[in-house]
Amino acid sequence: MSQLGPGPKNLITDVAGLKVGQAHDERARTGVTVILPDDRTVCACDVRGGAPGTRETDALAPENLVDEVDAVVLSGGSVYGLAAADAVTAQLGAAGRGYGLRTGPGVPVSPVVPAAILYDLANGGDKAWGEAPPYRELAVAALAAASDRFALGTAGAGYGAMSGRLKGGIGSASVVGEEGFTAGAIVAVNSFGSAVAPGGRTFWAAPFEIGAEFGGLGAAGLKAAPDDWGLAKGPPGGRENTTLACVAVDAALTPAEAKRLAIMAQDGLARALRPAHSPFDGDVVFALATARKALPETRQRSLARLGALAADALSRAVARAVYEAAPWPGTDALCWRDLA
Amino acid sequence: MSQLGPGPKNLITDVAGLKVGQAHDERARTGVTVILPDDRTVCACDVRGGAPGTRETDALAPENLVDEVDAVVLSGGSVYGLAAADAVTAQLGAAGRGYGLRTGPGVPVSPVVPAAILYDLANGGDKAWGEAPPYRELAVAALAAASDRFALGTAGAGYGAMSGRLKGGIGSASVVGEEGFTAGAIVAVNSFGSAVAPGGRTFWAAPFEIGAEFGGLGAAGLKAAPDDWGLAKGPPGGRENTTLACVAVDAALTPAEAKRLAIMAQDGLARALRPAHSPFDGDVVFALATARKALPETRQRSLARLGALAADALSRAVARAVYEAAPWPGTDALCWRDLA
């Protein structure tokens, strides 16, 4: 088996046709991440956490009308963060981009902007925003920053996040597979569960690490006794979670195939976090297919390959989020780098 | 954190109120496993594979009428194996056990017997059964054998199974958690993906192993390059899969809570098999709650603990299935024990 590796940036933006923009509010300790495809793009969504907060996800079911989206928004701010998608919808619509149910003078198009949020309301930031939460402004800033480069760690939707008892954040990774397709993942890790095995600092994602992208420690430290959750969140704080992910491939997929991609990618969360998908997580995985290349005739087998690549990339992205995370300015929030 | 361990048998039957019966047909290379609760028992089901074969699973949705089941059937035989549930339904109904929509003389009760099947039709066994597949007879024999002890490896619904390119089979494991609840799992492993990491014989479940229940090799061998699926099934054979699982706890759960248990337990498949949940797998997890003990007031947190215990137990059960598997008599089917 040949040695394959990440794309040139080891970011989801290695998948052709995607940009990512981020913004955060240091004082409020929260932020927004926008995944912006160059064109309308097939998208699916798979929700597995017990406490999700989402918008425009029902529209994505394969049996429903809308097949393509204009952007995907990941946001802090819990229920307030869903407003980030308002700003993205309005901006894209004003630019004439969106789904045209009926086109003509005076009839705006309908940009489809699914969004999901994580809970960072109790992280000590200043949330006294009254009737003016900052998420619309953060989304405008994130859109303006859209690029093929973006910051990992304490940034964007992961700015306010904690992964278990460690500082969480934004992670991303990419891989070019044997068939020449590129798969990538971006994730805002605010998990109930721990990204490292109990009693040490080995990432659960270690078996999938490429090079030393999150420390290169190997997998020998992976060991967990029953009921030992290591650095998972304990009370209080056990209910303040959610890991938000988006995976992408440059293959052309149907909406139903994109759903299978999202389902397989959830396994990447399962492998990188323990526990995952708890009643207190709102874990959501979006899947985008930017359709730069057709699938070969062994279509379902290629889809299985893409799903496995996306799952591994998502596991790696989770570890990179925690590996890259830094404390909020002026705080001593526990980071992976602080572990012995 | 105290060192917790398996129940006395390290089988799902350590969960109070459960028996398991199995039977197989050596010539046809197929078999049936019946999980038989002592009483009608809350059950949920979570389907994540792309090619499932199931029966009576829609009835189990939390919003639907039926909350409890009388048995759960796992069977080989693909679509033919669903008939195994016929025999169990008829036997239990004749014995007066089942859901009474209307009770009275001449009105049989309705036993609810969800079932799921795996594909073992092309494993070289004699499947020339014409109009008389053996699954009803196998189910009768399995019911008659119901006990708190049962065989692992090449047995029951796992008799005809292959896990990737290795002989698969039936696995089981149990654990007693900190809160005193017992969780257990049983699984028929006929996976597309591999239960061992590429290039060696380390089980993906190694971090969760208790003692040397599947060889005690440790986790240092866990490493996988992108697109390297190791001993996963290659063509031909890539479409002949499905891993069927049932987890159980002795706690009293609502049907919706049992569904969350099944969802979290799927992560045990994700961690123990790579890839999992592919388009070619029909992966199904049932969850039973035998209600011997009430959940404490921190109900959702205890549920998260049970889900994590069930996920780990299911990972261990997958490894034990492959670890215990032996070749069919007179064949040299590749087994884990043959790996260097």
Side-chain angles (χ1 to χ4, degrees):
Chain A
M1 195 69 61
S2 59
Q3 289 299 310
L4 305 168
K9 295 181 285 284
N10 201 14
L11 298 173
I12 192 174
T13 46
D14 287 325
V15 177
L18 287 183
K19 292 187 176 63
V20 169
Q22 303 193 110
H24 67 266
D25 181 329
E26 181 184 318
R27 193 153 156 270
R29 289 189 196 160
T30 191
V32 169
T33 297
V34 178
I35 299 110
L36 185 69
D38 294 343
D39 307 294
R40 309 203 70 229
T41 296
V42 164
C43 182
C45 176
D46 187 55
V47 179
R48 291 288 275 177
T54 59
R55 165 176 169 153
E56 288 275 48
T57 50
D58 288 321
L60 303 181
E63 70 274 20
N64 288 347
L65 181 70
V66 168
D67 287 345
E68 295 172 318
V69 303
D70 297 279
V72 172
V73 172
L74 313 179
S75 182
S78 186
V79 293
Y80 302 101
L82 291 172
D86 290 341
V88 176
T89 302
Q91 282 224 342
L92 294 178
R97 179 167 159 177
Y99 182 80
L101 274 163
R102 178 170 166 185
T103 53
V107 183
V109 293
S110 301
V112 180
V113 183
I117 52 82
L118 59 80
Y119 187 98
D120 58 6
L121 298 181
N123 65 1
D126 178 3
K127 305 298 197 304
W129 50 51
E131 294 189 8
Y135 296 97
R136 293 173 64 101
E137 289 73 13
L138 285 168
V140 169
L143 257 188
S147 156
D148 62 350
R149 301 274 176 179
F150 58 95
L152 302 186
T154 305
Y159 188 86
M162 296 292 292
S163 172
R165 292 175 203 174
L166 296 178
K167 183 72 190 77
I170 286 282
S172 191
S174 73
V175 63
V176 183
E178 289 197 335
E179 293 180 326
F181 295 107
T182 299
I186 186 170
V187 63
V189 185
N190 189 48
S191 53
F192 176 62
S194 173
V196 298
R201 55 182 201 147
T202 301
F203 284 106
W204 281 111
F208 315 108
E209 185 171 12
I210 301 181
E213 62 189 347
F214 43 87
L217 298 182
L222 294 182
K223 181 77 189 158
D227 260 340
D228 185 357
W229 291 352
L231 292 170
K233 285 176 191 164
R239 291 163 187 268
E240 300 161 5
N241 315 296
T242 286
T243 298
L244 306 174
C246 181
V247 298
V249 296
D250 56 358
L253 301 182
T254 66
E257 289 165 343
K259 175 79 176 185
R260 176 58 46 194
L261 189 74
I263 288 171
M264 289 187 73
Q266 288 275 18
D267 289 351
L269 293 186
R271 294 175 185 132
L273 295 164
R274 176 173 174 276
H277 302 128
S278 82
F280 311 113
D281 288 297
D283 302 338
V284 176
V285 175
F286 294 99
L288 295 166
T290 63
R292 293 303 194 271
K293 304 175 185 175
L295 281 189
E297 282 192 30
T298 55
R299 191 163 184 95
Q300 293 298 312
R301 178 163 282 272
S302 295
L303 177 59
R305 284 205 174 277
L306 293 174
L309 289 171
D312 289 359
L314 183 46
S315 288
R316 295 160 52 214
V318 167
R320 293 190 83 199
V322 176
Y323 178 73
E324 298 283 352
W328 299 297
T331 74
D332 58 356
L334 186 67
C335 292
W336 182 85
R337 59 181 73 163
D338 301 322
L339 299 179
Chain B
M1 196 67 66
S2 61
Q3 289 300 308
L4 304 168
K9 296 182 283 284
N10 201 12
L11 298 173
I12 192 174
T13 46
D14 286 325
V15 177
L18 288 182
K19 292 187 175 63
V20 169
Q22 302 193 112
H24 67 266
D25 180 329
E26 182 184 319
R27 192 152 158 270
R29 288 188 197 160
T30 191
V32 169
T33 297
V34 178
I35 300 110
L36 186 68
D38 294 343
D39 307 293
R40 309 202 71 230
T41 296
V42 163
C43 182
C45 175
D46 186 55
V47 178
R48 291 288 277 179
T54 58
R55 164 176 170 154
E56 288 275 48
T57 49
D58 288 321
L60 303 182
E63 69 274 22
N64 288 346
L65 180 69
V66 168
D67 287 344
E68 295 171 318
V69 304
D70 298 278
V72 172
V73 172
L74 313 180
S75 181
S78 186
V79 293
Y80 302 102
L82 291 172
D86 290 340
V88 176
T89 302
Q91 282 222 345
L92 294 178
R97 178 167 159 176
Y99 182 79
L101 274 163
R102 177 168 165 186
T103 51
V107 181
V109 293
S110 301
V112 179
V113 184
I117 52 82
L118 59 81
Y119 187 98
D120 58 7
L121 298 180
N123 65 1
D126 178 3
K127 305 298 197 304
W129 51 52
E131 294 188 10
Y135 296 97
R136 293 174 64 99
E137 289 74 11
L138 285 168
V140 169
L143 257 187
S147 156
D148 63 350
R149 300 273 176 180
F150 58 94
L152 302 186
T154 305
Y159 188 86
M162 296 292 291
S163 171
R165 293 175 201 173
L166 297 179
K167 183 72 190 75
I170 286 284
S172 191
S174 73
V175 64
V176 183
E178 289 196 337
E179 293 181 326
F181 295 108
T182 299
I186 185 170
V187 62
V189 185
N190 190 48
S191 52
F192 175 62
S194 174
V196 298
R201 55 182 200 146
T202 301
F203 284 106
W204 280 112
F208 315 107
E209 185 170 12
I210 301 181
E213 61 188 348
F214 43 87
L217 298 181
L222 293 182
K223 181 77 189 158
D227 260 341
D228 185 355
W229 290 352
L231 292 169
K233 284 176 191 165
R239 291 163 188 269
E240 300 161 5
N241 314 298
T242 287
T243 298
L244 306 174
C246 182
V247 297
V249 295
D250 56 359
L253 302 182
T254 66
E257 289 166 342
K259 175 80 176 186
R260 176 58 47 193
L261 189 74
I263 288 171
M264 290 187 72
Q266 287 276 16
D267 289 351
L269 293 185
R271 294 176 185 133
L273 295 164
R274 176 171 175 276
H277 303 127
S278 83
F280 311 113
D281 289 295
D283 301 338
V284 176
V285 174
F286 294 98
L288 295 166
T290 64
R292 292 304 194 271
K293 303 175 187 176
L295 281 189
E297 280 192 30
T298 54
R299 192 165 183 94
Q300 293 297 311
R301 178 163 281 270
S302 295
L303 176 59
R305 285 208 173 273
L306 292 174
L309 289 171
D312 288 359
L314 183 47
S315 287
R316 295 160 51 213
V318 167
R320 293 190 83 198
V322 176
Y323 178 73
E324 297 283 353
W328 299 298
T331 75
D332 58 356
L334 186 67
C335 292
W336 182 85
R337 59 181 73 165
D338 302 323
L339 299 179

